[in-house]
Amino acid sequence: TWNVIRQYRQDRRIILTTHFMDEADILGDRIAIMSEGQLRCAGSPLFLKKSYGVGYQLTIEKKSRQSHSTQTSTAVDAGRNSNGTEKAAITEVSTQQDMQESDHSNMLQTSQISKETMAKTAFAPTISNIDGELKDIVTNAVSDAAVLSNVGTELSFQLPIGASSNFGPMFEALDKKIDRKEIVTYGVGITTLDEVFLMVARGETGDESFLASSKRRASTNGARNSETSYRSKIVLENEGLFARHVGALFQKRALNFKRDKKAWCCSAILPSFFVCLSLIIFTYAVPTRDLNALTLTLEDYNANIEGTSEEPRNPIPFNTKDYSCQPGICSYQVPFVDLRDTTGEAYGYCGYISSLQLSLSLDGDIDINLEEKESCSITQSINITSRLSNAGARGIPSNVHNMNASSHSLFESSTAFKASQYGALYFTHDDNSVVQSSKRNYADQAIGTCRPLAYFSNYTDQSQCEWFRGIGYVVTYNFTSFHAAPLYQALADEAIVREAMADDDISITATIHPLPITKVEESFAAAEDAFTAWFLMVVSFPFITGAFATFIVAERLSKAKHLQTVAGVKPEAYWLSTYAWDIINYQFPLWITVILFYAFDVETFISTSRGIFGGVLTTLILFGPAGAGFTYCISFCFQSPSMCNLFVIIFNFIIGMAGPMASFILRLIGEDPFNPKDNLILGADILEWILRPIPSFCFGKALFNTINIEVFRFIEADPNITVWHEAVLLWEVIFLFVESFAYILLAIQIEKWSTNPQALSIWRNITTFNWLCGKMTIDEEISAALPDDEDVQQEA
């Protein structure tokens, strides 16, 4: 494994956790040590050894007790043989040795000391002398040397890092000791990582004050005092531990976001792109409600027909002989009203002031004969229709005398030509027309009827009666052509003028100029145009919530979150740091959206009338915190970051789009003033209260109702309605505000429950429907909550 790590370490960052300090020393370029849930130190191995070791460590191995005992016994025997007495130098025995000898034999006298006892007695001052000599050798060479430990045959010194120049004389003296067999060996080395790890675990920092404290902990009292001091230090550090955890986790999210291109795409780029795209469509691709003028031309009709002499492209039937002089029927039962006896008024409808059916008696009474229809001779229709030449138009003569016969004739001739007949001209009178019943000229008789009636009429002048001279005609048209009536009228007028002026170059163009839309129509049109912007916003903002979910599920899947918890990070610190980062990260697409609203001058969202901009801005601000908390709660149901991301995006889009539209349609139909449906309104209420706990629904509904504020003005019958009305977005904003706090608290609580085996077992029973199959035993619940490791499963 070490070789693999060494082989692939180039251009990579490998994180390794271990308690084997030699492994860390060999493989690690940078080492961090944690203690009590806190990061205590970090640096290269040499830096840590230098910072915590305070120099070198000299270890001397002394002779064992047995070897010293043998040498001392020989020395005692030699002394006794030469002098006959024991060495006077051995004058006293330690208290411990006296107690051992007295326990061994109460019969022995102090003056009768065996040879073995003399050897043991001589051993203590010998060891003490060796220790003293060794200390003198070391301290004479390095004055700042300090004893670290003196246990058994091993004596250890701590030497300053800058004293290496004085090691030569010290090594020579120790070599002589080895030659005289007074010590076994010695060695010097820099502080090991194991010692650094132990010093960090004890709370030492490597400076002299902590080194002195380490020396004092060698004694029992010193250890007890230092432990109290160390624990007090930990308590003081824990006071700021929560804030440090939050800050560290926040920095971690920032570094992760810096290198995570997918997070950039989901949380910033895609939402801003979709909003910009929607506003471009809203600004440049919306239909124009004020229609342009429409020029009517016969070229649009029968365009696929090639006109010939036998098959005209646009056949136009017309009459050639007598025809009804005045074929029209007024829709009013009494077309001329005579109120001279009451109000002093007299006036007519439908041009009946010139009707041939009216007559004036000598006493001034007006008689109306609606049943009698006069017939006029026609002599100019053939000459006039011969002037029709536009787009293959050609007059088709027909022998008809009234409108009824004309209708039958058109029906019978509808299949006579390949081309469709879109209109016909029937001339009712011309300049030479004679009324068949009176044998008088039509114009003279019509004007003669008009002048005496105009005398009594309040709204017609006698000079206007001359308008009834000239040529009269009726246009019949195919209802499948909406604009055939004005077009064929223009064709008839054009032919009449050409005949009168004897000039076929004269033309008359018919143009339709639609009226501009009203203010109410304009407001409804603006809402319709803003639907595209609303739809793409509902599509884009769920990507932000998807980005919220990806990181936390990935951390749980990689066990990074578990390691943080084991290291002492509390759920509150983890979720609050995540919540703070996501809210701050949400500000970028939020304010980009607001800026784009103003850049494209989207009046539907930035208008200050009816409180529209305030409502939109509040909704946008609150959706981020509410959506983040809701996503955290949803993330506990997933083990795959990609699946969680996909589910959150699709779920929020469907709820945010379909929910508001369904509610709006139900209310629109149910609020019909002519046929109200209370059951639909109740259904809309139930649907809204069920979906309001979902932030995406509140977000979509608030914006959708805002762009349709004019509709709610009619539904609520309130001309001064604002967006803060409860029917528009008041409830949605309240829910978003509450959800901004409720869901993050719920996520923290779910995190705590997830560490409880019993709560985890209940959750798994619910999600896997085990509760339908009977209650599990306690052992089964624990097994379900704590599954075996993978290696244990493989061994089984």
Side-chain angles (χ1 to χ4, degrees), residues 398-444:
S398 60
N399 186 19
V400 292
H401 305 282
N402 52 52
M403 291 304 302
N404 187 31
S406 299
S407 298
H408 285 285
S409 177
L410 287 175
F411 177 76
E412 292 171 356
S413 64
S414 60
T415 58
F417 303 99
K418 294 180 180 179
S420 298
Q421 299 179 22
Y422 290 100
L425 299 177
Y426 294 106
F427 294 89
T428 59
H429 56 84
D430 55 33
D431 294 334
N432 302 321
S433 293
V434 175
V435 180
Q436 297 299 320
S437 63
S438 63
K439 303 301 180 180
R440 294 178 58 192
N441 182 275
Y442 169 81
D444 295 338

Side-chain angles (χ1 to χ4, degrees), residues 58 60 62 127-143 145-150 155-157 159 170 174 177 183:
L58 174 65
I60 303 174
K62 300 175 291 183
I127 292 297
S128 177
N129 290 338
I130 292 175
D131 290 348
E133 291 175 4
L134 294 176
K135 290 179 181 178
D136 290 341
I137 291 173
V138 174
T139 55
N140 288 337
V142 182
S143 59
V147 178
L148 285 181
S149 63
N150 187 2
L155 177 62
S156 297
F157 294 90
L159 308 179
M170 178 180 67
L174 293 176
K177 287 289 185 182
I183 61 175

Side-chain angles (χ1 to χ4, degrees), residues 196-479:
V196 172
F197 182 80
L198 294 175
M199 293 178 69
V200 172
R202 292 196 298 265
E204 298 180 5
T205 61
D207 55 22
E208 294 184 359
S209 62
F210 277 88
L211 182 61
S213 174
S214 178
K215 294 176 184 177
R216 290 195 300 272
R217 280 196 290 274
S219 64
T220 303
N221 293 336
R224 214 169 23 239
N225 294 336
S226 63
E227 178 68 16
T228 303
S229 175
Y230 172 63
R231 292 298 176 189
S232 299
K233 180 175 180 292
I234 292 297
V235 171
L236 292 175
E237 291 175 345
N238 281 337
E239 292 180 356
L241 191 60
F242 180 82
R244 285 200 297 274
H245 282 171
V246 173
L249 291 171
F250 186 88
Q251 292 178 2
K252 175 186 175 183
R253 284 298 306 272
L255 293 174
N256 179 80
F257 181 79
K258 182 179 180 180
R259 61 174 178 265
D260 189 354
K261 303 302 186 295
K262 293 181 179 179
W264 291 12
C265 185
C266 286
S267 63
I269 298 177
L270 276 181
S272 302
F273 170 77
F274 276 116
V275 171
C276 183
L277 177 63
S278 67
L279 297 182
I280 291 175
I281 296 174
F282 173 80
T283 305
Y284 299 106
V286 296
T288 302
R289 295 307 190 285
D290 289 327
L291 300 179
N292 295 326
L294 177 63
T295 300
L296 305 181
T297 174
L298 199 60
E299 296 288 346
D300 297 331
Y301 298 86
N302 294 317
N304 58 337
I305 302 296
E306 291 291 339
T308 64
S309 59
E310 296 180 356
E311 288 288 341
R313 175 180 171 182
N314 284 292
I316 303 177
F318 69 97
N319 60 309
T320 58
K321 295 183 178 181
D322 299 346
Y323 204 85
S324 297
C325 300
Q326 296 174 342
I329 299 177
C330 187
S331 59
Y332 292 95
Q333 186 176 6
V334 181
F336 194 92
V337 179
D338 186 4
L339 300 175
R340 289 174 291 172
D341 295 337
T342 55
T343 63
E345 292 179 304
Y347 50 88
Y349 300 103
C350 308
Y352 262 69
I353 196 171
S354 65
S355 176
L356 302 181
Q357 298 168 295
L358 293 180
S359 62
L360 185 64
S361 62
L362 295 176
D363 57 359
D365 294 334
I366 299 174
D367 296 325
I368 303 175
N369 185 1
L370 297 179
E371 299 297 330
E372 184 179 352
K373 291 293 184 182
E374 298 288 352
S375 179
C376 294
S377 62
I378 303 298
T379 59
Q380 298 179 352
S381 61
I382 296 177
N383 295 335
I384 293 174
T385 55
S386 65
R387 302 285 184 173
L388 296 174
S389 60
N390 297 342
R394 192 174 75 189
I396 306 298
S398 60
N399 186 19
V400 292
H401 305 282
N402 52 52
M403 291 304 302
N404 187 31
S406 299
S407 298
H408 285 285
S409 177
L410 287 175
F411 177 76
E412 292 171 356
S413 64
S414 60
T415 58
F417 303 99
K418 294 180 180 179
S420 298
Q421 299 179 22
Y422 290 100
L425 299 177
Y426 294 106
F427 294 89
T428 59
H429 56 84
D430 55 33
D431 294 334
N432 302 321
S433 293
V434 175
V435 180
Q436 297 299 320
S437 63
S438 63
K439 303 301 180 180
R440 294 178 58 192
N441 182 275
Y442 169 81
D444 295 338
Q445 188 171 342
I447 295 173
T449 304
C450 175
R451 283 178 175 172
L453 291 177
Y455 178 80
F456 297 104
S457 178
N458 297 84
Y459 309 106
T460 303
D461 187 80
Q462 290 185 352
S463 61
Q464 295 174 352
C465 293
E466 292 294 327
W467 295 350
F468 294 106
R469 291 185 183 277
I471 301 173
Y473 59 88
V474 174
V475 173
T476 60
Y477 64 95
N478 190 329
F479 68 90

Side-chain angles (χ1 to χ4, degrees), residues 33 85 285 350 361 652 667 712 726:
I33 300 177
T85 60
C350 308
S361 62
N652 284 327
R667 288 195 177 278
F712 286 94
E726 61 181 11

Side-chain angles (χ1 to χ4, degrees), residues 57 113 204 216 248 271 335 345 364 437 494 500 509 520 529 592 684 768:
Q57 181 173 329
I113 304 176
E204 298 180 5
R216 290 195 300 272
E345 292 179 304
S437 63
E494 181 180 83
T509 302
V520 175
D529 297 340
I592 286 293
T768 58

